[in-house]
Amino acid sequence: MGAERRGAGSAARSARPPRPLAAAPAPSLRPERFRRCASPPSRTVPREPGRGRPLAQRPGPGGGRPAGWRGLGPGQPPPEDAGWHQSRRRRARPTAPRAPPVCTRSASSWASRWTRYTFFVAMGYLTICHISRIYIFHYGVLTTDFSGPLMIITQKITTLAFQVHDGLGRRAEDLSAEQHRLAIKVKPSFLEYLSYLLNFMSVIAGPCNHFKDYVAFIEGRHTHMKLLEVNGKHKDFHSLPEPSPTGAVMRKLCVTLVSLLLFLTLTKTFPVTCLAEDWFVQKADFPTRLCYLYVVMQASKPKYYFAWTLADAVNNAAGFGFSGVDKDGRCCWDLLSNLNIWKIETATSFRMYLENWNIQTAAWLKCVCYERVPWCPTVLTFILSALWHGVYPGYYFTFLTGVLVTLAARAVRNNCRHHFLSSKALKCAYDLVTWAVTQLAVSYTVAPFVMLAAEPALSLYRSMYFYLHIISLLIILFLPIKPQAHLQRQPQTANSVNKKKTD
């Protein structure tokens, strides 16, 4: 009986159709970056551009299952519904590219933000120190204290911040030639930062210098770098001897000695305090006041000549300050010079005077303010200069007056100068007149700067009938402005070349 049952079972099993075995997976016709979707789209829905084509429409070699389909377990969709798609990492986007999230900020915006923070913190701390020194300790007395070195350190901190921003946060094509040369592309180390701020050569009286120049000096390549930079076109600059600062240092020490003698003699003879005395304010006539004001301002200059020239000589004696070789083959050591006495005393325009007075501070103002503010660059630069000097009212009288005089002088020069260039005699006459006007205008403008307080400055201006303020306002209001005076103030970059604006 058991044998019969086993025979019947075997016959039944042989009568059934054979159960298909799982087919061996055919070799895939798709690369590895493609994979099977977990939820493939229906055959009836047309595929989007960039999607893979269902392999059900592509018969395999035997005409059965589609090529590339691998047998799956129960519960999976049949082969004809299976589709292949690109990996999500490489999937093509049929729509427009996704916009970046609103919260993302570029490295440039962050660098710009931290640069502004650095500027406002440094200037704010300096202003607080000025207020405490002047209104708490001693008002109206100019002394050598911590505020002098702090002013130099403030210049260095802000200059370095903006130059790091130019190197790491801005595109090269957006920089002017000078900004590109001084841009810092590698963040300085902490030791380099402290050495730049507190080096013994400039910690007391400056002048402010650029970080790249200082690092090149410390590394011993300052002289060679300047020879390549300034005289690289000359084939024989390699044959020049090693520049020696001895001659430049000796000349500058002689200038400091003469300036010291003039200061000790002229200052006692023509003190600034006499400008507020009754005989000057009430009894002297206007031409006498004008001439005496010029003499007093000339007598106050030697102290600045002494301090700035001595600071320059100290840097040169250490080997810092080489600026190249001039056309006559002489070595120049004026990279850190803060003034040019000859051009100051022979200036024929207000602009020429300012360009040769406190040169390094003017370069700092141009770097951190004039080239970067979007509107009223002249006004904001003068206000920043006043704030950097301190909080005496006389500083603000001087620099606000300087704004008016600068704009008026620019208008006069643009409208009148070209009429006097036709002959040498006319040009000499024009230069002589403009020299006298410039010297008197500078004396009038800077008088409150040395008087410091508001009351004597106003008393002086009232005795002078505010003549320069009135003349400057009339010139600005009524003198036609040439089109070149309205040229957009932009640095020369690789993408834009603008004509140089003349005053």
Side-chain angles (χ1 to χ4, degrees), residues 164-241:
V164 170
H165 171 55
D166 289 341
L168 300 178
R170 297 178 65 189
R171 298 180 300 176
E173 57 267 22
D174 295 335
L175 303 177
S176 65
E178 184 70 7
Q179 290 173 346
H180 188 271
R181 183 183 73 85
L182 298 173
I184 301 170
K185 302 183 182 302
V186 178
K187 186 184 297 184
S189 66
F190 187 63
L191 179 60
E192 291 174 336
Y193 183 71
L194 291 182
S195 176
Y196 172 66
L197 295 183
L198 304 175
N199 69 85
F200 73 96
M201 299 176 296
S202 60
V203 70
I204 300 297
C208 177
N209 51 74
H210 298 295
F211 181 79
K212 269 192 170 181
D213 294 332
Y214 176 74
V215 170
F217 162 70
I218 293 297
E219 294 176 351
R221 52 185 178 85
H222 169 67
T223 302
H224 185 68
M225 185 184 74
K226 287 300 175 183
L227 287 173
L228 285 175
E229 181 181 313
V230 182
N231 303 92
K233 296 182 180 180
H234 300 279
K235 298 180 180 179
D236 56 345
F237 80 93
H238 290 285
S239 61
L240 295 172

Side-chain angles (χ1 to χ4, degrees), residues 36 38 40 69 71-79:
R36 186 183 182 88
W69 178 82
L72 300 175
Q76 296 297 328

Side-chain angles (χ1 to χ4, degrees), residues 433-445:
V433 172
T434 52
W435 171 82
V437 172
T438 298
Q439 299 300 321
L440 293 176
V442 169
S443 301
Y444 178 93
T445 303

Side-chain angles (χ1 to χ4, degrees), residues 49-109:
R51 301 277 186 170
R53 178 181 297 178
L55 292 181
Q57 301 174 7
R58 300 174 57 189
R65 296 188 180 100
W69 178 82
R70 301 181 182 184
L72 300 175
Q76 296 297 328
E80 58 269 16
D81 288 335
W84 293 85
H85 301 284
Q86 291 186 1
S87 174
R88 295 189 181 185
R89 292 181 301 172
R90 305 292 299 271
R91 183 179 298 173
R93 299 291 183 183
T95 57
R98 182 187 303 174
V102 179
C103 59
T104 17
R105 296 181 183 274
S106 64
S108 176
S109 64

Side-chain angles (χ1 to χ4, degrees), residues 275 290 293-294 297 300 349-351 353-354 357 382 393-409 437-453 457-458 460-461 464 466-469 472:
L275 297 178
L290 203 61
L293 177 62
Y294 171 73
M297 292 299 103
S300 64
S349 67
F350 203 76
R351 178 186 177 184
Y353 194 103
L354 296 179
W357 177 271
F382 273 100
Y395 296 154
Y396 297 89
F397 278 107
T398 290
F399 289 106
L400 292 178
T401 304
V403 173
L404 295 177
V405 176
T406 300
L407 297 177
V437 172
T438 298
Q439 299 300 321
L440 293 176
V442 169
S443 301
Y444 178 93
T445 303
V446 303
F449 189 92
V450 297
M451 300 177 76
L452 300 179
L458 287 174
L460 172 66
Y461 279 162
M464 306 292 291
F466 292 92
Y467 82 96
L468 192 59
H469 291 86
S472 300

